[in-house]
């Protein structure tokens, strides 16, 4: 394998964003750093400057590394270098709205990872992804594959032309050769077609299996959309994912199937009647092939992106597993920070991944390692080195519990990230026709009527169904964390990162 450049760490001024002409400007409310934050480029990594090593640590702990064979292509050591550069433009999926493809720019490059920025939006919506992610595509991909492109805020859909945009703003598109070619995985079986129905696990509430539709297909992946729910529940998965099952699977396996929102008699949902009423068909059962079980076991060590501070990758231990997930613990940290992750998440990596890809690795926290100089302002959270900020990448650091992604006051908040699309003004929404696609997708229903999506009632309905079935193992925190979804702030998207 080729060794990518080590110690690659570049950054764009995160306080910049694009104005209506698509040119970089500094955001008004971002001009004054608060909470003593330093500019992003001043972040240094202690983890790269010490003598800590995995080999020594595993010996000390008498622990084993999770075997490399257990990791998928998206998680394992990359086959190519990360060739992206700060400022390059591309198209890609909004992780909070997986059905939406957007104009993105590379805001930061670190090892094999990228911080991507939505052109025309504030940097608080930026997100991290791997350079080989199947969620990103070169400029022009949407047009070629007949997908709607969500253009930068302030542009009119009928007036936006990629080449004019790049030329006017002197921007560079990311060359096609930098994007991963997924054809090696083979094409999508032709039986999986957009509009067909199936039963799918709600990845935000994994104990629920719901009525779902294939909303889109790209290469070897399909977009799962839950009938009559908003697109924030959508996800992309491959056809062998354990999260998708044929129509009738719940009945065969004694599981409760969650009916679409507003279904007249949800406890007696009938697939036959529903398919007839919606003039749709089910994906043929015989084309579903279950992937082998994931193979991860408790006590295995690995490197994991910290969802609360996604620029950081930490030394972690698997402390529990279930059929599709692993529960991770960050070494040296309190167990209140543990959480469940999908075993196929692109945010878990084998031991040594950071070293090989040139990404800093946050070593395990040991209280004795922290040396505080007299008068130095430090974050009071044990383990936290003051990197990152609850308000996203516009601040590189924090010195208090107020800005700390790990402080009790912030852990209690249901979410830290705002929703880019929900904060658009109605005027912008009207200009932006990609939203109308969203609306149409949301309101697919069995009666032909357009119904307003109400996430609160989904939760009530879910709870009701679970109560009926006597499922007591449900994680209520998990279930109810999306209850503020319809408000403009404090939505539940933290958990996607
Ligand atoms: Zn902190």
């Amino acid at each position: 394998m080729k060794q990518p450049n080590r110690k690659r760490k570049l950054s764009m001024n995160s306080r910049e964003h694009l104005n209506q002409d698509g040119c970089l400007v500094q955001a008004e409310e971002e001009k004054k750093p608060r909470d003593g934050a330093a500019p992003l480029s001043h972040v240094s990594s202690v983890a790269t400057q010490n003598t800590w090593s995995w080999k020594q640590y595993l010996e000390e702990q008498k622990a084993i590394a999770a075997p490399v064979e257990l990791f998928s292509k998206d998680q394992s050591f990359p086959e190519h270098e990360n060739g992206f550069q700060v400022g390059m433009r591309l198209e890609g999926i909004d992780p909070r709205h997986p059905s939406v493809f957007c104009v993105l720019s590379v805001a930061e490059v670190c090892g094999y990872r990228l911080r991507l920025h939505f052109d025309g939006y504030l940097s608080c919506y930026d997100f991290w992804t791997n350079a080989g992610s199947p969620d990103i595509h070169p400029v022009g991909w949407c047009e070629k594959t007949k997908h709607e492109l969500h253009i930068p805020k302030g542009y009119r859909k009928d007036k936006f032309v990629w080449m004019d945009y790049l030329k006017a703003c002197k921007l560079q598109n990311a060359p096609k050769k930098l994007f991963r070619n997924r054809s090696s995985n083979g094409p999508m079986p032709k039986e999986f077609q957009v509009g067909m129905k199936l039963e799918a696990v709600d990845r935000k509430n994994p104990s629920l299996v719901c009525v779902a539709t294939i909303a889109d297909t790209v290469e070897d992946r399909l977009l799962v959309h839950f009938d009559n729910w908003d697109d924030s529940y959508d996800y992309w998965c491959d056809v062998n994912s354990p999260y998708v099952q044929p129509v009738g699977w719940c009945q065969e396996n004694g599981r409760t199937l969650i009916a679409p929102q507003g279904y007249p008699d949800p406890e007696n949902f009938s697939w036959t009647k529903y398919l007839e009423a919606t003039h749709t068909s089910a994906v043929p059962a015989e084309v579903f092939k279950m992937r082998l079980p994931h193979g991860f076991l408790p006590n295995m060590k690995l490197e994991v992106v910290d969802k609360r501070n996604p620029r950081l990758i930490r030394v972690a231990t698997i402390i529990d597993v279930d059929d599709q997930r692993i529960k991770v613990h960050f070494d040296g940290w309190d167990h209140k920070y543990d959480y469940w992750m999908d075993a196929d998440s692109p945010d878990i990596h084998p031991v040594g991944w950071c070293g090989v890809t040139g990404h800093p690795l946050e070593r395990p926290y040991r209280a004795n390692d922290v040396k505080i100089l007299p008068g130095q302002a430090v974050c009071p959270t044990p383990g936290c080195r003051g990197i990152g900020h609850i308000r996203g990448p516009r601040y590189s650091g924090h010195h208090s519990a107020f800005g700390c992604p790990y402080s009790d006051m912030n852990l209690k908040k249901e979410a830290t990230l705002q929703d880019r699309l929900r904060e658009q003004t109605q005027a912008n929404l009207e200009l932006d026709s990609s939203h109308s696609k969203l609306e149409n997708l949301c309101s697919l229903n069995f009666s032909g009527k357009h119904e307003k999506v109400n996430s609160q009632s989904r939760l009530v309905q879910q709870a009701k169904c679970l109560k009926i079935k006597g499922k007591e193992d449900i994680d209520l925190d998990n279930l109810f964390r999306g209850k503020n979804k319809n408000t403009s702030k404090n939505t539940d998207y933290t958990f996607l990162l």
Side-chain angles (χ1 to χ4, degrees), residues 14-15 33-43 386 393-399:
S14 71
R15 288 169 291 165
R34 277 168 262 177
D35 193 24
L40 199 64
S41 53
H42 292 179
V43 173
R394 65 173 125 165
Y395 306 121
S396 62
H398 60 274
H399 295 157

mmCIF file with all atom_site columns, all heavy atoms in Angstrom, residues 14-15 33-43 386 393-399:
data_model
loop_
_atom_site.group_PDB
_atom_site.id
_atom_site.type_symbol
_atom_site.label_atom_id
_atom_site.label_alt_id
_atom_site.label_comp_id
_atom_site.label_asym_id
_atom_site.label_entity_id
_atom_site.label_seq_id
_atom_site.pdbx_PDB_ins_code
_atom_site.Cartn_x
_atom_site.Cartn_y
_atom_site.Cartn_z
_atom_site.occupancy
_atom_site.B_iso_or_equiv
_atom_site.pdbx_formal_charge
_atom_site.auth_seq_id
_atom_site.auth_comp_id
_atom_site.auth_asym_id
_atom_site.auth_atom_id
_atom_site.pdbx_PDB_model_num
ATOM 1   N N   . SER A 1 14  ? -11.963 29.295 8.855  1.00 0.00 ? 14  SER A N   1
ATOM 2   C CA  . SER A 1 14  ? -13.331 28.788 8.974  1.00 0.00 ? 14  SER A CA  1
ATOM 3   C C   . SER A 1 14  ? -14.337 29.902 9.206  1.00 0.00 ? 14  SER A C   1
ATOM 4   O O   . SER A 1 14  ? -15.524 29.658 9.232  1.00 0.00 ? 14  SER A O   1
ATOM 5   C CB  . SER A 1 14  ? -13.409 27.799 10.125 1.00 0.00 ? 14  SER A CB  1
ATOM 6   O OG  . SER A 1 14  ? -13.283 28.492 11.324 1.00 0.00 ? 14  SER A OG  1
ATOM 7   N N   . ARG A 1 15  ? -13.848 31.104 9.412  1.00 0.00 ? 15  ARG A N   1
ATOM 8   C CA  . ARG A 1 15  ? -14.800 32.191 9.637  1.00 0.00 ? 15  ARG A CA  1
ATOM 9   C C   . ARG A 1 15  ? -15.261 32.826 8.315  1.00 0.00 ? 15  ARG A C   1
ATOM 10  O O   . ARG A 1 15  ? -15.982 33.784 8.299  1.00 0.00 ? 15  ARG A O   1
ATOM 11  C CB  . ARG A 1 15  ? -14.183 33.237 10.561 1.00 0.00 ? 15  ARG A CB  1
ATOM 12  C CG  . ARG A 1 15  ? -14.095 32.731 11.987 1.00 0.00 ? 15  ARG A CG  1
ATOM 13  C CD  . ARG A 1 15  ? -13.260 33.633 12.855 1.00 0.00 ? 15  ARG A CD  1
ATOM 14  N NE  . ARG A 1 15  ? -11.874 33.555 12.469 1.00 0.00 ? 15  ARG A NE  1
ATOM 15  C CZ  . ARG A 1 15  ? -10.967 34.446 12.858 1.00 0.00 ? 15  ARG A CZ  1
ATOM 16  N NH1 . ARG A 1 15  ? -11.303 35.452 13.610 1.00 0.00 ? 15  ARG A NH1 1
ATOM 17  N NH2 . ARG A 1 15  ? -9.722  34.332 12.496 1.00 0.00 ? 15  ARG A NH2 1
ATOM 18  N N   . PRO A 1 33  ? -13.988 36.276 18.061 1.00 0.00 ? 33  PRO A N   1
ATOM 19  C CA  . PRO A 1 33  ? -13.955 34.980 18.740 1.00 0.00 ? 33  PRO A CA  1
ATOM 20  C C   . PRO A 1 33  ? -14.456 35.129 20.178 1.00 0.00 ? 33  PRO A C   1
ATOM 21  O O   . PRO A 1 33  ? -14.162 36.119 20.829 1.00 0.00 ? 33  PRO A O   1
ATOM 22  C CB  . PRO A 1 33  ? -12.472 34.591 18.723 1.00 0.00 ? 33  PRO A CB  1
ATOM 23  C CG  . PRO A 1 33  ? -11.790 35.578 17.856 1.00 0.00 ? 33  PRO A CG  1
ATOM 24  C CD  . PRO A 1 33  ? -12.661 36.777 17.758 1.00 0.00 ? 33  PRO A CD  1
ATOM 25  N N   . ARG A 1 34  ? -15.243 34.151 20.582 1.00 0.00 ? 34  ARG A N   1
ATOM 26  C CA  . ARG A 1 34  ? -15.710 34.164 21.977 1.00 0.00 ? 34  ARG A CA  1
ATOM 27  C C   . ARG A 1 34  ? -15.042 33.018 22.719 1.00 0.00 ? 34  ARG A C   1
ATOM 28  O O   . ARG A 1 34  ? -14.444 32.155 22.108 1.00 0.00 ? 34  ARG A O   1
ATOM 29  C CB  . ARG A 1 34  ? -17.232 33.976 21.994 1.00 0.00 ? 34  ARG A CB  1
ATOM 30  C CG  . ARG A 1 34  ? -17.969 35.279 21.755 1.00 0.00 ? 34  ARG A CG  1
ATOM 31  C CD  . ARG A 1 34  ? -19.413 34.992 21.501 1.00 0.00 ? 34  ARG A CD  1
ATOM 32  N NE  . ARG A 1 34  ? -19.668 34.994 20.063 1.00 0.00 ? 34  ARG A NE  1
ATOM 33  C CZ  . ARG A 1 34  ? -20.834 34.713 19.534 1.00 0.00 ? 34  ARG A CZ  1
ATOM 34  N NH1 . ARG A 1 34  ? -21.846 34.433 20.288 1.00 0.00 ? 34  ARG A NH1 1
ATOM 35  N NH2 . ARG A 1 34  ? -20.996 34.734 18.232 1.00 0.00 ? 34  ARG A NH2 1
ATOM 36  N N   . ASP A 1 35  ? -15.197 33.010 23.972 1.00 0.00 ? 35  ASP A N   1
ATOM 37  C CA  . ASP A 1 35  ? -14.705 31.923 24.810 1.00 0.00 ? 35  ASP A CA  1
ATOM 38  C C   . ASP A 1 35  ? -13.195 31.730 24.639 1.00 0.00 ? 35  ASP A C   1
ATOM 39  O O   . ASP A 1 35  ? -12.676 30.631 24.740 1.00 0.00 ? 35  ASP A O   1
ATOM 40  C CB  . ASP A 1 35  ? -15.443 30.615 24.435 1.00 0.00 ? 35  ASP A CB  1
ATOM 41  C CG  . ASP A 1 35  ? -15.208 29.535 25.475 1.00 0.00 ? 35  ASP A CG  1
ATOM 42  O OD1 . ASP A 1 35  ? -14.910 29.915 26.624 1.00 0.00 ? 35  ASP A OD1 1
ATOM 43  O OD2 . ASP A 1 35  ? -15.304 28.359 25.136 1.00 0.00 ? 35  ASP A OD2 1
ATOM 44  N N   . GLY A 1 36  ? -12.503 32.836 24.332 1.00 0.00 ? 36  GLY A N   1
ATOM 45  C CA  . GLY A 1 36  ? -11.047 32.769 24.249 1.00 0.00 ? 36  GLY A CA  1
ATOM 46  C C   . GLY A 1 36  ? -10.538 31.879 23.135 1.00 0.00 ? 36  GLY A C   1
ATOM 47  O O   . GLY A 1 36  ? -9.429  31.370 23.196 1.00 0.00 ? 36  GLY A O   1
ATOM 48  N N   . ALA A 1 37  ? -11.351 31.667 22.111 1.00 0.00 ? 37  ALA A N   1
ATOM 49  C CA  . ALA A 1 37  ? -10.956 30.734 21.074 1.00 0.00 ? 37  ALA A CA  1
ATOM 50  C C   . ALA A 1 37  ? -9.835  31.286 20.210 1.00 0.00 ? 37  ALA A C   1
ATOM 51  O O   . ALA A 1 37  ? -9.792  32.457 19.892 1.00 0.00 ? 37  ALA A O   1
ATOM 52  C CB  . ALA A 1 37  ? -12.150 30.415 20.187 1.00 0.00 ? 37  ALA A CB  1
ATOM 53  N N   . ALA A 1 38  ? -8.927  30.400 19.847 1.00 0.00 ? 38  ALA A N   1
ATOM 54  C CA  . ALA A 1 38  ? -7.832  30.786 18.970 1.00 0.00 ? 38  ALA A CA  1
ATOM 55  C C   . ALA A 1 38  ? -8.217  30.446 17.536 1.00 0.00 ? 38  ALA A C   1
ATOM 56  O O   . ALA A 1 38  ? -9.057  29.591 17.316 1.00 0.00 ? 38  ALA A O   1
ATOM 57  C CB  . ALA A 1 38  ? -6.581  30.003 19.363 1.00 0.00 ? 38  ALA A CB  1
ATOM 58  N N   . PRO A 1 39  ? -7.593  31.109 16.546 1.00 0.00 ? 39  PRO A N   1
ATOM 59  C CA  . PRO A 1 39  ? -7.894  30.734 15.162 1.00 0.00 ? 39  PRO A CA  1
ATOM 60  C C   . PRO A 1 39  ? -7.585  29.259 14.931 1.00 0.00 ? 39  PRO A C   1
ATOM 61  O O   . PRO A 1 39  ? -6.675  28.696 15.546 1.00 0.00 ? 39  PRO A O   1
ATOM 62  C CB  . PRO A 1 39  ? -6.960  31.623 14.340 1.00 0.00 ? 39  PRO A CB  1
ATOM 63  C CG  . PRO A 1 39  ? -6.576  32.732 15.245 1.00 0.00 ? 39  PRO A CG  1
ATOM 64  C CD  . PRO A 1 39  ? -6.622  32.185 16.637 1.00 0.00 ? 39  PRO A CD  1
ATOM 65  N N   . LEU A 1 40  ? -8.332  28.669 14.045 1.00 0.00 ? 40  LEU A N   1
ATOM 66  C CA  . LEU A 1 40  ? -8.250  27.234 13.805 1.00 0.00 ? 40  LEU A CA  1
ATOM 67  C C   . LEU A 1 40  ? -6.838  26.761 13.487 1.00 0.00 ? 40  LEU A C   1
ATOM 68  O O   . LEU A 1 40  ? -6.391  25.727 13.934 1.00 0.00 ? 40  LEU A O   1
ATOM 69  C CB  . LEU A 1 40  ? -9.168  26.904 12.629 1.00 0.00 ? 40  LEU A CB  1
ATOM 70  C CG  . LEU A 1 40  ? -9.583  25.466 12.470 1.00 0.00 ? 40  LEU A CG  1
ATOM 71  C CD1 . LEU A 1 40  ? -10.403 25.049 13.662 1.00 0.00 ? 40  LEU A CD1 1
ATOM 72  C CD2 . LEU A 1 40  ? -10.384 25.301 11.213 1.00 0.00 ? 40  LEU A CD2 1
ATOM 73  N N   . SER A 1 41  ? -6.129  27.571 12.703 1.00 0.00 ? 41  SER A N   1
ATOM 74  C CA  . SER A 1 41  ? -4.813  27.133 12.255 1.00 0.00 ? 41  SER A CA  1
ATOM 75  C C   . SER A 1 41  ? -3.798  27.053 13.407 1.00 0.00 ? 41  SER A C   1
ATOM 76  O O   . SER A 1 41  ? -2.720  26.524 13.236 1.00 0.00 ? 41  SER A O   1
ATOM 77  C CB  . SER A 1 41  ? -4.294  28.073 11.176 1.00 0.00 ? 41  SER A CB  1
ATOM 78  O OG  . SER A 1 41  ? -4.352  29.391 11.666 1.00 0.00 ? 41  SER A OG  1
ATOM 79  N N   . HIS A 1 42  ? -4.168  27.566 14.566 1.00 0.00 ? 42  HIS A N   1
ATOM 80  C CA  . HIS A 1 42  ? -3.231  27.524 15.680 1.00 0.00 ? 42  HIS A CA  1
ATOM 81  C C   . HIS A 1 42  ? -3.307  26.219 16.471 1.00 0.00 ? 42  HIS A C   1
ATOM 82  O O   . HIS A 1 42  ? -2.562  26.016 17.410 1.00 0.00 ? 42  HIS A O   1
ATOM 83  C CB  . HIS A 1 42  ? -3.483  28.694 16.642 1.00 0.00 ? 42  HIS A CB  1
ATOM 84  C CG  . HIS A 1 42  ? -3.149  30.005 16.014 1.00 0.00 ? 42  HIS A CG  1
ATOM 85  N ND1 . HIS A 1 42  ? -3.315  31.194 16.662 1.00 0.00 ? 42  HIS A ND1 1
ATOM 86  C CD2 . HIS A 1 42  ? -2.671  30.297 14.777 1.00 0.00 ? 42  HIS A CD2 1
ATOM 87  C CE1 . HIS A 1 42  ? -2.958  32.185 15.851 1.00 0.00 ? 42  HIS A CE1 1
ATOM 88  N NE2 . HIS A 1 42  ? -2.570  31.654 14.706 1.00 0.00 ? 42  HIS A NE2 1
ATOM 89  N N   . VAL A 1 43  ? -4.239  25.361 16.094 1.00 0.00 ? 43  VAL A N   1
ATOM 90  C CA  . VAL A 1 43  ? -4.368  24.103 16.833 1.00 0.00 ? 43  VAL A CA  1
ATOM 91  C C   . VAL A 1 43  ? -3.128  23.257 16.612 1.00 0.00 ? 43  VAL A C   1
ATOM 92  O O   . VAL A 1 43  ? -2.683  23.076 15.499 1.00 0.00 ? 43  VAL A O   1
ATOM 93  C CB  . VAL A 1 43  ? -5.591  23.301 16.334 1.00 0.00 ? 43  VAL A CB  1
ATOM 94  C CG1 . VAL A 1 43  ? -5.616  21.921 16.981 1.00 0.00 ? 43  VAL A CG1 1
ATOM 95  C CG2 . VAL A 1 43  ? -6.856  24.047 16.648 1.00 0.00 ? 43  VAL A CG2 1
ATOM 96  N N   . GLY A 1 386 ? -9.280  21.014 25.411 1.00 0.00 ? 386 GLY A N   1
ATOM 97  C CA  . GLY A 1 386 ? -9.736  22.335 24.970 1.00 0.00 ? 386 GLY A CA  1
ATOM 98  C C   . GLY A 1 386 ? -9.808  22.484 23.464 1.00 0.00 ? 386 GLY A C   1
ATOM 99  O O   . GLY A 1 386 ? -9.992  23.582 22.940 1.00 0.00 ? 386 GLY A O   1
ATOM 100 N N   . PRO A 1 393 ? -16.886 24.219 13.939 1.00 0.00 ? 393 PRO A N   1
ATOM 101 C CA  . PRO A 1 393 ? -15.494 24.506 13.573 1.00 0.00 ? 393 PRO A CA  1
ATOM 102 C C   . PRO A 1 393 ? -15.133 25.981 13.487 1.00 0.00 ? 393 PRO A C   1
ATOM 103 O O   . PRO A 1 393 ? -13.979 26.310 13.245 1.00 0.00 ? 393 PRO A O   1
ATOM 104 C CB  . PRO A 1 393 ? -15.355 23.835 12.202 1.00 0.00 ? 393 PRO A CB  1
ATOM 105 C CG  . PRO A 1 393 ? -16.723 23.728 11.685 1.00 0.00 ? 393 PRO A CG  1
ATOM 106 C CD  . PRO A 1 393 ? -17.637 23.601 12.855 1.00 0.00 ? 393 PRO A CD  1
ATOM 107 N N   . ARG A 1 394 ? -16.082 26.873 13.692 1.00 0.00 ? 394 ARG A N   1
ATOM 108 C CA  . ARG A 1 394 ? -15.688 28.277 13.601 1.00 0.00 ? 394 ARG A CA  1
ATOM 109 C C   . ARG A 1 394 ? -14.783 28.680 14.777 1.00 0.00 ? 394 ARG A C   1
ATOM 110 O O   . ARG A 1 394 ? -14.053 29.654 14.696 1.00 0.00 ? 394 ARG A O   1
ATOM 111 C CB  . ARG A 1 394 ? -16.896 29.181 13.485 1.00 0.00 ? 394 ARG A CB  1
ATOM 112 C CG  . ARG A 1 394 ? -17.792 29.203 14.693 1.00 0.00 ? 394 ARG A CG  1
ATOM 113 C CD  . ARG A 1 394 ? -18.868 30.261 14.526 1.00 0.00 ? 394 ARG A CD  1
ATOM 114 N NE  . ARG A 1 394 ? -20.190 29.696 14.683 1.00 0.00 ? 394 ARG A NE  1
ATOM 115 C CZ  . ARG A 1 394 ? -21.275 30.431 14.867 1.00 0.00 ? 394 ARG A CZ  1
ATOM 116 N NH1 . ARG A 1 394 ? -21.201 31.731 14.871 1.00 0.00 ? 394 ARG A NH1 1
ATOM 117 N NH2 . ARG A 1 394 ? -22.437 29.865 15.028 1.00 0.00 ? 394 ARG A NH2 1
ATOM 118 N N   . TYR A 1 395 ? -14.855 27.929 15.871 1.00 0.00 ? 395 TYR A N   1
ATOM 119 C CA  . TYR A 1 395 ? -13.911 28.141 16.976 1.00 0.00 ? 395 TYR A CA  1
ATOM 120 C C   . TYR A 1 395 ? -13.070 26.885 17.117 1.00 0.00 ? 395 TYR A C   1
ATOM 121 O O   . TYR A 1 395 ? -13.604 25.782 17.172 1.00 0.00 ? 395 TYR A O   1
ATOM 122 C CB  . TYR A 1 395 ? -14.643 28.393 18.288 1.00 0.00 ? 395 TYR A CB  1
ATOM 123 C CG  . TYR A 1 395 ? -15.627 29.513 18.214 1.00 0.00 ? 395 TYR A CG  1
ATOM 124 C CD1 . TYR A 1 395 ? -16.965 29.300 18.482 1.00 0.00 ? 395 TYR A CD1 1
ATOM 125 C CD2 . TYR A 1 395 ? -15.219 30.791 17.826 1.00 0.00 ? 395 TYR A CD2 1
ATOM 126 C CE1 . TYR A 1 395 ? -17.878 30.330 18.380 1.00 0.00 ? 395 TYR A CE1 1
ATOM 127 C CE2 . TYR A 1 395 ? -16.120 31.821 17.715 1.00 0.00 ? 395 TYR A CE2 1
ATOM 128 C CZ  . TYR A 1 395 ? -17.451 31.582 17.992 1.00 0.00 ? 395 TYR A CZ  1
ATOM 129 O OH  . TYR A 1 395 ? -18.347 32.605 17.875 1.00 0.00 ? 395 TYR A OH  1
ATOM 130 N N   . SER A 1 396 ? -11.772 27.091 17.196 1.00 0.00 ? 396 SER A N   1
ATOM 131 C CA  . SER A 1 396 ? -10.906 25.919 17.250 1.00 0.00 ? 396 SER A CA  1
ATOM 132 C C   . SER A 1 396 ? -10.810 25.347 18.655 1.00 0.00 ? 396 SER A C   1
ATOM 133 O O   . SER A 1 396 ? -10.491 24.190 18.834 1.00 0.00 ? 396 SER A O   1
ATOM 134 C CB  . SER A 1 396 ? -9.514  26.288 16.770 1.00 0.00 ? 396 SER A CB  1
ATOM 135 O OG  . SER A 1 396 ? -8.986  27.267 17.640 1.00 0.00 ? 396 SER A OG  1
ATOM 136 N N   . GLY A 1 397 ? -11.052 26.201 19.667 1.00 0.00 ? 397 GLY A N   1
ATOM 137 C CA  . GLY A 1 397 ? -10.865 25.711 21.031 1.00 0.00 ? 397 GLY A CA  1
ATOM 138 C C   . GLY A 1 397 ? -11.773 26.395 22.027 1.00 0.00 ? 397 GLY A C   1
ATOM 139 O O   . GLY A 1 397 ? -12.561 27.271 21.682 1.00 0.00 ? 397 GLY A O   1
ATOM 140 N N   . HIS A 1 398 ? -11.661 25.932 23.276 1.00 0.00 ? 398 HIS A N   1
ATOM 141 C CA  . HIS A 1 398 ? -12.481 26.499 24.349 1.00 0.00 ? 398 HIS A CA  1
ATOM 142 C C   . HIS A 1 398 ? -11.706 26.417 25.652 1.00 0.00 ? 398 HIS A C   1
ATOM 143 O O   . HIS A 1 398 ? -10.795 25.584 25.791 1.00 0.00 ? 398 HIS A O   1
ATOM 144 C CB  . HIS A 1 398 ? -13.804 25.730 24.461 1.00 0.00 ? 398 HIS A CB  1
ATOM 145 C CG  . HIS A 1 398 ? -13.590 24.284 24.774 1.00 0.00 ? 398 HIS A CG  1
ATOM 146 N ND1 . HIS A 1 398 ? -13.352 23.331 23.800 1.00 0.00 ? 398 HIS A ND1 1
ATOM 147 C CD2 . HIS A 1 398 ? -13.523 23.618 25.964 1.00 0.00 ? 398 HIS A CD2 1
ATOM 148 C CE1 . HIS A 1 398 ? -13.170 22.163 24.368 1.00 0.00 ? 398 HIS A CE1 1
ATOM 149 N NE2 . HIS A 1 398 ? -13.256 22.303 25.680 1.00 0.00 ? 398 HIS A NE2 1
ATOM 150 N N   . HIS A 1 399 ? -12.077 27.264 26.597 1.00 0.00 ? 399 HIS A N   1
ATOM 151 C CA  . HIS A 1 399 ? -11.397 27.273 27.898 1.00 0.00 ? 399 HIS A CA  1
ATOM 152 C C   . HIS A 1 399 ? -12.382 27.066 29.038 1.00 0.00 ? 399 HIS A C   1
ATOM 153 O O   . HIS A 1 399 ? -12.039 27.245 30.188 1.00 0.00 ? 399 HIS A O   1
ATOM 154 C CB  . HIS A 1 399 ? -10.691 28.624 28.122 1.00 0.00 ? 399 HIS A CB  1
ATOM 155 C CG  . HIS A 1 399 ? -9.585  28.872 27.149 1.00 0.00 ? 399 HIS A CG  1
ATOM 156 N ND1 . HIS A 1 399 ? -9.130  30.130 26.841 1.00 0.00 ? 399 HIS A ND1 1
ATOM 157 C CD2 . HIS A 1 399 ? -8.861  28.010 26.402 1.00 0.00 ? 399 HIS A CD2 1
ATOM 158 C CE1 . HIS A 1 399 ? -8.157  30.028 25.943 1.00 0.00 ? 399 HIS A CE1 1
ATOM 159 N NE2 . HIS A 1 399 ? -7.984  28.757 25.664 1.00 0.00 ? 399 HIS A NE2 1
#
